[in-house]
Amino acid sequence: MSLNVLIVGAGVCGPAFAMLLQRSNPKHKITILERSPTLRMGGQQIDLKNQAPHILRQMGLLDVIKSRCVDETGLEMVDSNDKTIARFGVAPAGQRRLTLTSEHEIMRGDMVQVLYDASIKQNQDSKANSEDPDAGLRYVFGQTIVALDQRENDDVDVTFSNGETKRYDLVVGADGQWSHTRSLAFGKETSRTAFKSLGIHAAYFSLPKTENEATLAKGHLAPGRRMVFTRTSGRPVTGALLFTMQNSAKLSSCYRESTEKQKEAFAEAFRDIDWQAERFISGLKSSSDFYAHELGQIKMEELSSGRVVLLGDSGYCPSPFTGLGTNLCLVGSYILAGELARHGSSNISEALHSYGDKMRPFIDECQSISPRTLGLFFPSSRLGIWVMHSLAWAISSLSQRFWQRQEDLTDHHAERLPKYPELNLPFQSQF
């Protein structure tokens, strides 16, 4: 039997899950709801590692993803005079190394576009072979949900921002770290306390690219527990990333204000850094894509409430510092679709329970980071920075020799994923 499913959020998780679910049963009726009037194409580079490349390969999307990857050749740590302290290369997708750059790095907007285009094409192909005009996938932009009413027969009545109410067999919250779906389904207090701060405040924006800026990312530690990065990645602009574990109270309060106020708060926090300060502050003030937030993790005891289930950052955001958010998103999409396909429409509750159980080891591993550990990377004094520079130099020197001898390391990430032949994926035999 087919399901009538509402997915809230058209980022990475929503389209990926929709494609996997539709492959398992083309008769499903799937709606992806996005509050923005169009696809949200902004965002920074995202890493595709651990299980993510294996899932994308099964879906037949890895090659097109590779063709859209950015050209970043590694990370260079520099001092205030732009002198190289340490250099780290590119980490293969199946290995975790101390570097900023993974084998598959793609701009978030490009990833969203690839998944959207692929989902549209898959849906067209599916509908061409279907006799049910109501089956298939559709996107609805410029709307959001305002209420969820879980009925006794397990259906969910959803009230939309345009005043309409519709009934679904399942609602999937794929609407990010600040998920409105999570708040409606689990309550505001549970949703609020699920956010566990890492004590880091971050800002992202684009800078004009300098004439000789290389494809290497650059990182710098500044006194006062601050860290900054530039990433050119072969693009016409340079991405700037600012992180700090200082001025927490002031920065925390700025997120409730306008973008201009947020810019002012971060400009003040980074005005006196000892590397490219003028460039960062000038670029910050004039940027049109500035975004800032407090870094944290989403930790939920349960991933579902009745017929509402959380997917990706809405249920288990690991924080950008782990580089594993997209991996968890794709693993979650794969396992949720697989469990629904395996249990069928008559056992949705059991499928959701199994999804939560099977996701827990992946979540715990990807969220194994703490503010205390992160604090080591944010020294407050010049002496602390000297110690970190010395450590970075030693690690980079040793790691080059070590990894040269480890070229035959086997990637075991795929073996940890459950097998779901029910998903009918085009390249499952390669898994």
Side-chain angles (χ1 to χ4, degrees):
M1 293 178 61
S2 62
L3 293 173
N4 186 15
V5 179
L6 175 67
I7 302 170
V8 184
V12 173
C13 280
F17 170 69
M19 288 186 67
L20 290 163
L21 189 65
Q22 187 179 47
R23 291 286 310 188
S24 71
N25 185 351
K27 295 181 180 180
H28 288 321
K29 302 172 186 177
I30 305 171
T31 302
I32 298 182
L33 187 74
E34 171 56 49
R35 66 180 181 179
S36 298
T38 59
L39 287 176
R40 292 183 295 115
M41 303 301 292
Q44 301 299 307
Q45 288 177 216
I46 55 179
D47 305 331
L48 302 175
K49 52 191 177 185
N50 289 19
Q51 290 81 18
H54 301 286
I55 294 171
L56 291 169
R57 182 180 294 111
Q58 288 188 81
M59 296 173 70
L61 297 178
L62 186 57
D63 286 341
V64 67
I65 290 291
K66 285 182 177 180
S67 72
R68 302 289 290 271
C69 281
V70 300
D71 180 22
E72 185 170 277
T73 53
L75 168 67
E76 188 176 59
M77 295 298 298
V78 298
D79 64 13
S80 57
N81 296 314
D82 210 41
K83 178 183 176 181
T84 301
I85 300 298
R87 182 173 291 181
F88 302 91
V90 176
Q95 299 174 9
R96 296 188 69 175
R97 301 188 188 180
L98 187 61
T99 184
L100 189 67
T101 309
S102 297
E103 179 182 354
H104 306 312
E105 295 262 354
I106 185 170
M107 299 305 296
R108 179 195 171 277
D110 289 339
M111 180 76 172
V112 169
Q113 189 70 61
V114 167
L115 289 169
Y116 174 78
D117 292 344
S119 70
I120 294 296
K121 184 180 185 305
Q122 176 178 287
N123 185 58
Q124 290 172 343
D125 294 342
S126 178
K127 290 183 75 67
N129 299 314
S130 175
E131 298 179 357
D132 184 355
D134 295 326
L137 167 66
R138 72 186 187 108
Y139 284 84
V140 176
F141 291 95
Q143 287 192 47
T144 186
I145 59 175
V146 297
L148 297 172
D149 182 15
Q150 301 246 32
R151 300 173 57 83
E152 291 183 2
N153 62 356
D154 290 332
D155 292 333
V156 186
D157 283 343
V158 179
T159 304
F160 296 90
S161 53
N162 66 354
E164 292 183 354
T165 299
K166 295 183 180 180
R167 186 168 297 172
Y168 297 90
D169 299 312
L170 179 68
V171 174
V172 180
D175 46 347
Q177 177 176 310
W178 308 112
S179 171
H180 185 51
T181 309
R182 184 179 70 232
S183 181
L184 291 175
F186 292 85
K188 291 182 178 180
E189 183 61 19
T190 297
S191 180
R192 183 187 66 81
T193 57
F195 177 76
K196 309 299 182 184
S197 175
L198 293 175
I200 301 173
H201 297 270
Y204 318 91
F205 52 95
S206 295
L207 294 168
K209 189 175 179 180
T210 60
E211 183 177 354
N212 298 316
E213 207 156 9
T215 55
L216 272 172
K218 285 193 174 186
H220 175 71
L221 300 177
R225 310 191 76 185
R226 292 171 294 181
M227 181 188 299
V228 294
F229 293 93
T230 59
R231 308 183 82 168
T232 59
S233 309
R235 298 181 295 135
V237 296
T238 295
L241 299 85
L242 313 183
F243 302 99
T244 180
M245 296 188 82
Q246 190 173 265
N247 302 319
S248 183
K250 186 166 187 176
L251 291 175
S252 293
S253 62
C254 82
Y255 304 125
R256 296 187 291 271
E257 302 185 53
S258 66
T259 299
E260 289 306 312
K261 291 292 185 182
Q262 294 176 38
K263 286 184 176 183
E264 290 176 9
F266 274 88
E268 182 179 339
F270 286 85
R271 195 178 307 279
D272 62 342
I273 59 170
D274 55 352
W275 182 65
Q276 298 194 25
E278 184 177 344
R279 183 188 185 199
F280 281 119
I281 302 306
S282 174
L284 182 157
K285 290 180 177 179
S286 61
S287 66
S288 59
D289 60 352
F290 176 89
Y291 175 71
H293 68 136
E294 183 176 3
L295 269 60
Q297 298 181 328
I298 298 298
K299 296 193 174 184
M300 294 287 294
E301 293 184 7
E302 301 292 337
L303 297 181
S304 61
S305 175
R307 290 290 184 90
V308 181
V309 62
L310 303 178
L311 179 63
D313 281 356
S314 66
Y316 34 83
C317 173
S319 99
F321 251 74
T322 66
L324 294 169
T326 306
N327 178 67
L328 265 186
C329 159
L330 291 172
V331 171
S333 299
Y334 174 82
I335 291 179
L336 179 57
E339 291 300 320
L340 288 168
R342 178 160 295 173
H343 288 87
S345 59
S346 60
N347 290 305
I348 294 178
S349 296
E350 188 174 343
L352 299 184
H353 179 75
S354 184
Y355 158 69
D357 285 345
K358 290 184 177 179
M359 280 301 298
R360 189 55 57 186
F362 295 102
I363 294 171
D364 290 344
E365 177 182 331
C366 291
Q367 290 188 336
S368 59
I369 193 170
S370 69
R372 179 174 296 181
T373 301
L374 286 172
L376 298 175
F377 295 92
F378 287 85
S380 59
S381 66
R382 293 193 180 277
L383 175 60
I385 291 173
W386 178 84
V387 171
M388 289 301 298
H389 281 175
S390 301
L391 181 61
W393 175 84
I395 292 174
S396 67
S397 300
L398 292 172
S399 63
Q400 290 177 13
R401 302 188 188 97
F402 174 78
W403 291 114
Q404 286 172 356
R405 297 193 297 268
Q406 304 297 317
E407 294 179 354
D408 61 341
L409 281 178
T410 303
D411 177 2
H412 295 289
H413 292 296
E415 298 173 9
R416 297 181 53 206
L417 284 170
K419 308 299 187 291
Y420 294 112
E422 299 91 342
L423 289 178
N424 304 314
L425 294 175
F427 296 95
Q428 198 158 27
S429 61
Q430 299 179 16
F431 182 45

